[in-house]
Amino acid sequence: MIKTFTQDDVIRYVYEETSEEESLLIEDALMSEPDLMAFFLDTLELRSLMNRIERQPRRQTLQNVFDYSRSYTPNPLA
């Protein structure tokens, strides 16, 4: 039986969410399907770019958390 792999399968493979057996089958499919290989390479590049994104909260958001933390009184009945 020939298994057809989807882009979702390739994404799971890129993020190492496939079993060893499934990974081998996906690797075979990548070698024989140029469109799937192109998607795989694009996905690897996107993952690399996304890993470089640095996110920081706005100062006002941090200030709100700090203000809440300072004013928080634990409920002694809980």
Side-chain angles (χ1 to χ4, degrees):
M1 180 176 124
I2 297 174
K3 167 77 170 133
T4 302
F5 291 99
T6 65
Q7 292 178 344
D8 289 342
D9 295 321
V10 173
I11 292 170
R12 289 186 314 107
Y13 174 75
V14 166
Y15 284 95
E16 300 174 12
E17 296 176 355
T18 54
S19 68
E20 286 183 43
E21 180 182 342
E22 190 176 20
S23 292
L24 291 173
L25 293 172
I26 290 172
E27 289 166 5
D28 286 343
L30 290 172
M31 295 301 161
S32 63
E33 297 177 36
D35 290 342
L36 202 58
M37 177 60 87
F39 179 78
F40 169 70
L41 295 173
D42 289 344
T43 303
L44 284 178
E45 182 180 5
L46 285 171
R47 184 183 76 172
S48 174
L49 292 171
M50 286 176 27
N51 286 340
R52 290 189 215 148
I53 295 173
E54 292 186 26
R55 296 173 298 272
Q56 294 181 1
R58 294 180 314 160
R59 285 186 180 184
Q60 185 58 46
T61 302
L62 289 173
Q63 192 59 50
N64 290 343
V65 171
F66 294 146
D67 290 346
Y68 177 82
S69 178
R70 278 192 281 282
S71 67
Y72 178 76
T73 305
N75 184 351
L77 301 177

